[in-house]
Amino acid sequence: MKIIAYGVRDDELPYFKEWEQENPEVEVTIEKRLLDDSTVSEAEGCNGVVAYQQKPYTKSVLDKLGQFGIKALSLRNVGVDNVDSNAVKANEIKVTNVPAYSPQAIAEFTVTELMRLLRRTKKFDQKQAAGDLTWAPDQADELNKMTVGVFATGRIGRAAINIYRGFGAKVIAYDIYHNPELEKEGIYVDTPDELYAQSDVLSIHAPAVKENEHMLNDDAFAKMKDGVWILNPARGTLIDTDALIRALDSGKVAGAALDVYEDEVGIFNKDFGSFDKIPDERLKNLMQRENVLVTPHIAFYTKTAVQNMVKFSMSANKDLIEKGTSDKLVEFK
Ligand code: COI
């Protein structure tokens, strides 16, 4: 059995080696480049493909995999928004993802960033770097006095809820699907508008499906409490960035922690050498604000998560090849 893994980063290599040692019967080809028209021919002769990239898995690439007789594509991440679902179905390719490589990794990071916002650590760090060790005027806010609105209660949202509760916050949530346990606890509000109206903090954990595109826009911000805090560790397209900038300018939004950005592809996880050389003025506008924390999509980036992403995706690909199915199969509508 032959599996080719695309887009492999150096920091993933030890985990690929471990998996290969545990599965000596599988021949693994490591390809550092991403899966696209220029690299897809490397997959010819393989039984399965494992990949991670934010760049789209296009129809032409998926058609080529189909022509090579490859029916198994396993993503090393959770989001499948960049996969052409029609082409997957037309080529009868089965796709797996890794839905739970570490929901805690993302939840812990989200709450870390919220605490940094509430305690104004960015401002204090900047002041201290300039030799200023004074306190005023940045009195902080306490999470235990706040209502946190969690948008979407999948694995990550639920992990975040547990941590918010540990801090003593009141938690409410919105989701079209209700988790039975949370339902019993009466955590759900009926509409996004109710969540916006009641939350001091909005913690967004929704997938990037079409209906959610720019769900946080001018209209949504207008319905929120004055001085709301926004956390987005999910997908950049969920927020209309221009609307967020307007809401920050007006003070409607007190601050934001953004681990994702709608134009992040080609920018995040790259070293530009200096702040000035980052090729996105709007992103730099956000990065320069003392009440905005921008991080380059690192909420997931823990040892546990990266190891699980490699191992779970490789095993899922092997299952697809051997058994034609996997417990991580993605159902495209
Ligand atoms: C995902 O798993 O979909 C993520 O957002 C993390 C990715 C950057 C590896």
Side-chain angles (χ1 to χ4, degrees):
M1 179 192 307
K2 288 186 185 171
I3 298 177
I4 180 166
Y6 280 91
V8 175
R9 305 183 309 272
D10 287 346
D11 59 280
E12 293 177 299
L13 282 173
Y15 306 123
F16 275 103
K17 285 230 158 62
E18 276 173 28
W19 191 86
E20 280 183 76
Q21 274 158 14
E22 290 157 13
N23 298 272
E25 73 284 13
V26 183
E27 195 181 311
V28 181
T29 303
I30 299 291
E31 172 56 65
K32 293 196 173 180
R33 292 172 297 168
L34 302 178
L35 176 59
D36 62 18
D37 288 318
S38 69
T39 59
V40 65
S41 59
E42 304 293 330
E44 193 164 10
C46 293
N47 309 95
V49 169
V50 169
Y52 166 66
Q53 61 195 38
Q54 284 180 293
K55 172 173 187 167
Y57 297 92
T58 60
K59 175 174 173 352
S60 68
V61 163
L62 295 165
D63 286 349
K64 263 264 155 8
L65 293 183
Q67 283 163 28
F68 297 156
I70 296 175
K71 301 284 178 215
L73 171 63
S74 298
L75 311 189
R76 300 202 289 286
N77 64 312
V78 57
V80 292
D81 41 281
N82 53 347
V83 180
D84 184 326
S85 52
N86 291 328
V88 157
K89 284 185 264 179
N91 287 290
E92 294 177 350
I93 295 174
K94 290 191 172 146
V95 177
T96 59
N97 66 348
V98 188
Y101 47 81
S102 179
Q104 286 81 0
I106 295 151
E108 285 180 11
F109 186 81
T110 309
V111 184
T112 301
E113 293 296 89
L114 173 61
M115 295 315 294
R116 286 183 66 206
L117 285 173
L118 297 183
R119 302 313 299 249
R120 308 335 189 236
T121 58
K122 186 172 179 182
K123 173 99 175 275
F124 278 109
D125 287 348
Q126 286 167 350
K127 278 170 61 172
Q128 288 175 29
D132 180 352
L133 301 183
T134 60
W135 300 343
D138 294 295
Q139 288 178 4
D141 296 286
E142 293 185 29
L143 181 50
N144 67 82
K145 301 278 188 297
M146 296 182 148
T147 298
V148 180
V150 172
F151 199 113
T153 54
R155 291 182 179 84
I156 299 171
R158 296 202 300 276
I161 287 170
N162 285 337
I163 306 177
Y164 290 132
R165 285 177 165 166
F167 275 91
K170 176 180 175 195
V171 184
I172 56 173
Y174 173 78
D175 200 321
I176 41 174
Y177 309 102
H178 285 192
N179 172 273
E181 289 302 308
L182 294 176
E183 175 90 75
K184 272 191 236 144
E185 293 165 13
I187 198 175
Y188 288 107
V189 295
D190 294 331
T191 62
D193 287 2
E194 283 175 64
L195 194 78
Y196 300 154
Q198 294 175 37
S199 302
D200 301 301
V201 175
L202 260 181
S203 194
I204 307 291
H205 304 284
V209 290
K210 195 108 212 79
E211 308 83 75
N212 291 344
E213 198 173 322
H214 282 187
M215 56 179 249
L216 296 198
N217 52 22
D218 286 314
D219 259 13
F221 287 122
K223 290 171 183 154
M224 294 178 197
K225 283 190 177 182
D226 291 338
V228 64
W229 301 89
I230 304 289
L231 311 173
N232 186 9
R235 280 292 182 269
T237 52
L238 301 177
I239 297 186
D240 174 346
T241 307
D242 293 327
L244 173 64
I245 288 175
R246 285 189 284 275
L248 284 160
D249 284 342
S250 71
K252 180 79 190 179
V253 169
L258 311 170
D259 188 48
V260 289
Y261 169 57
E262 52 183 323
D263 296 328
E264 72 181 59
V265 177
I267 296 183
F268 282 1
N269 202 14
K270 273 208 178 138
D271 184 357
F272 293 97
S274 76
F275 179 81
D276 291 343
K277 291 194 186 128
I278 297 171
D280 188 312
E281 293 310 313
R282 198 167 59 156
L283 180 66
K284 287 197 283 194
N285 170 326
L286 287 165
M287 288 171 77
Q288 278 172 312
R289 292 168 187 255
E290 67 192 23
N291 57 344
V292 176
L293 304 173
V294 175
T295 44
H297 211 139
I298 54 167
F300 83 99
Y301 196 58
T302 65
K303 293 175 187 127
T304 303
V306 177
Q307 179 175 44
N308 286 344
M309 289 163 117
V310 170
K311 293 195 165 183
F312 294 175
S313 61
M314 290 297 290
S315 295
N317 203 251
K318 189 178 167 205
D319 281 348
L320 284 183
I321 297 165
E322 277 179 350
K323 306 177 197 153
T325 191
S326 151
D327 59 355
K328 296 183 177 53
L329 201 63
V330 176
E331 276 185 43
F332 289 99
K333 290 196 192 98

